[in-house]
Amino acid sequence: MQEHSSIVKGDDFQNLLGMGFSEIEAAQLVHMKEHVTEQVEYREILQESRRLDFVRWLIEHKRIKD
């Protein structure tokens, strides 16, 4: 893993340490969090979720009928 000196100062990293994770585990989790949006499946799921939220909003505001 790359050097994580910039991560050490982050709130997420400090919170994970406070929860009992080791420095290596915390650094890996922060790294994963920062890079999860690069994954195609994640973007597709997020896009679908936003569509469903919009349809839900349309129904709740009586813009379309269910």
Side-chain angles (χ1 to χ4, degrees):
M1 174 174 283
Q2 299 169 342
E3 184 179 331
H4 60 272
S5 60
S6 62
I7 295 173
V8 175
K9 298 178 184 175
D11 290 337
D12 289 336
F13 183 81
Q14 296 302 325
N15 288 338
L16 290 167
L17 289 179
M19 296 165 94
F21 288 94
S22 71
E23 287 187 13
I24 293 172
E25 292 169 331
Q28 290 173 337
L29 287 169
V30 170
H31 177 78
M32 288 174 55
K33 178 183 176 187
E34 291 174 351
H35 292 82
V36 72
T37 56
E38 296 171 0
Q39 302 300 318
V40 174
E41 294 92 7
Y42 176 78
R43 288 193 306 256
E44 290 172 353
I45 290 169
L46 187 58
Q47 189 176 32
E48 181 68 15
S49 176
R50 288 178 178 157
R51 283 189 197 114
L52 291 172
D53 287 342
F54 179 63
V55 170
R56 190 175 298 114
W57 182 90
L58 290 171
I59 293 170
E60 289 172 355
H61 291 86
K62 300 184 188 329
R63 305 289 175 133
I64 62 173
K65 295 181 180 183
D66 53 344

